[in-house]
Amino acid sequence: MLDLRQSWKIGPVEIPSRLVLAPMAGVSVQAFRRQGRRFGAGLVCSEMVSCAGIEHRNERTLGYLRVGSDEHPLAIQIFGSEPRMMAEAARMVAAAGADIVDINFGCPVRKVTKTGAGATLLDDPERACRIVAAVADAVDIPVSVKMRRGLENGSRRCLEVGPRLVESGAQTLTLHPRSARQMYTGEADHSLTAEMVSIVDVPVIASGDVTSRARAQAILATTGAAAVMVGRAAQGDPWALREIVDGSAEPPTREEVVAELVLFMRETVRELGERRASGFLKKFYGWYLGRGRFQRPFKQELVQLETVADVEARLFETVPGARFVLVRIEQEQPEVDEVLLDDMPISIYGGG
């Protein structure tokens, strides 16, 4: 049985564990990625970044290119439908300090697919290959591609397109074997993952329904994939990552839950600014405090508070011991340097 703590490589980049933290829109901010690394993720990924936003130097888009020294190895994911623009975005990603540039051919959301990007590109393999080739030619870091099985239920398009993407320069593939139509319903069909592993000569990352150590080991054993990708299971539950990697199944105490949430809140305010962070964090309160850890009325109360500082005060009022756990966690944090491109019109602090 594969040891999930075993290292592996994407091109020259060494990944210290077989667990990859998924790129998730509206979730995978720097605070989320840093936390994931602390809890055992070998590779963390940014949320998808618009190549058009990068080309037009959109302030908020460029804010996604912050890279902390404790995030490595890090993949920054880009999406778009024009090879030239994707190549330029990839250059910016490399300049920002990413270890891997990841291309999104899997997003099923309408506002992405209607532009010809995301999962739509699986039905346009010629353009998809041109995009991968343009990106691979533009940067010296490895190129990865995240994809779905296809647009329609039952599609096997990924098996047709995957080998061509590798020929075009992709050094690893991540397969989420649901269709775009399925979104996140039903089950991921990892028999497709096993087939993909058998027909490409690069590492394949298995994504979809990785919710426990037992499930991760079963997927790795039956597919031959190099690693598993965890997404929704890690939302508000970094302890799930630790359980998957090394079997540490001890549930967190209420003090640990509140301490990690407060640290996440503070990091997010630093990254996004108070105004953006206040709205962004509301979904995380339910994620962290759910799973029977706190009563529903308490979670609902936090969402109604006006500022992040008010939420922090209420959390500490409810669980005073969390302050001491937070001090310990903060003392264990490494000092972090961040890379910022000279022509980015944003501050590292205060939120792009």
Side-chain angles (χ1 to χ4, degrees), residues 42-336:
L43 175 66
V44 296
C45 307
S46 76
E47 59 183 297
M48 61 182 184
V49 183
S50 165
C51 71
I54 291 177
E55 178 165 82
H56 294 106
R57 300 300 191 262
N58 177 274
E59 189 170 342
R60 180 171 293 191
T61 301
L62 293 178
Y64 294 136
L65 300 187
R66 289 188 184 89
V67 175
S69 58
D70 60 341
E71 296 187 71
H72 298 290
L74 165 71
I76 292 182
Q77 186 183 84
I78 58 176
F79 75 97
S81 60
E82 294 298 327
R84 180 194 60 77
M85 292 174 65
M86 289 287 278
E88 175 60 24
R91 292 187 190 97
M92 290 283 283
V93 163
D99 302 286
I100 295 164
V101 56
D102 185 57
I103 302 174
N104 184 307
F105 289 164
C107 182
V109 177
R110 174 64 180 162
K111 68 179 182 180
V112 172
T113 59
K114 72 180 182 181
T115 68
T120 301
L121 284 160
L122 295 175
D123 266 5
D124 192 352
E126 297 298 333
R127 181 182 291 271
C129 290
R130 290 200 305 272
I131 288 172
V132 171
V135 169
D137 287 344
V139 297
D140 293 328
I141 60 176
V143 175
S144 62
V145 176
K146 187 172 190 289
M147 60 199 300
R148 289 211 169 208
R149 66 181 299 163
L151 294 181
E152 301 299 328
N153 295 343
S155 173
R156 294 172 58 83
R157 180 56 62 90
C158 61
L159 300 178
E160 302 170 27
V161 179
R164 295 182 61 183
L165 299 179
V166 172
E167 291 175 4
S168 299
Q171 290 183 258
T172 189
L173 300 175
T174 299
L175 179 59
H176 184 162
R178 282 184 171 90
S179 69
R181 182 178 293 277
Q182 276 183 279
M183 299 292 284
Y184 297 98
T185 63
E187 294 185 359
D189 181 2
H190 282 292
S191 67
L192 286 176
T193 309
E195 288 189 68
M196 183 70 80
V197 169
S198 72
I199 61 175
V200 298
D201 59 0
V202 298
V204 174
I205 302 169
S207 174
D209 300 342
V210 182
T211 55
S212 68
R213 180 175 175 82
R215 182 67 177 144
Q217 289 177 326
I219 290 171
L220 290 172
T222 57
T223 65
V228 291
M229 177 173 282
V230 176
R232 289 172 292 163
Q235 293 174 348
D237 195 13
W239 299 275
L241 301 177
R242 187 169 61 191
E243 188 272 334
I244 290 171
V245 171
D246 60 24
S248 301
E250 188 71 24
T253 65
R254 285 161 59 95
E255 288 76 12
E256 289 172 326
V257 170
V258 169
E260 286 291 348
L261 173 54
V262 170
L263 179 60
F264 182 82
M265 289 160 52
R266 291 178 178 179
E267 285 282 297
T268 302
V269 169
R270 182 191 61 76
E271 180 181 354
L272 302 182
E274 170 72 29
R275 182 180 60 81
R276 281 183 61 200
S278 181
F280 174 85
L281 286 166
K282 290 184 184 297
K283 58 182 173 284
F284 285 89
Y285 303 149
W287 288 342
Y288 274 90
L289 305 179
R291 302 175 176 86
R293 295 166 181 166
F294 290 81
Q295 296 298 312
R296 182 182 296 272
F298 180 62
K299 295 180 285 183
Q300 294 172 335
E301 176 189 345
L302 296 184
V303 173
Q304 300 304 315
L305 296 176
E306 290 189 4
T307 69
V308 177
D310 290 339
V311 174
E312 180 176 320
R314 187 71 180 93
L315 286 166
F316 282 143
E317 179 185 347
T318 304
V319 188
R323 292 183 182 272
F324 304 103
V325 177
L326 178 60
V327 169
R328 174 179 57 79
I329 294 173
E330 288 182 324
Q331 289 174 341
E332 295 171 352
Q333 300 304 298
E335 290 191 16
V336 176

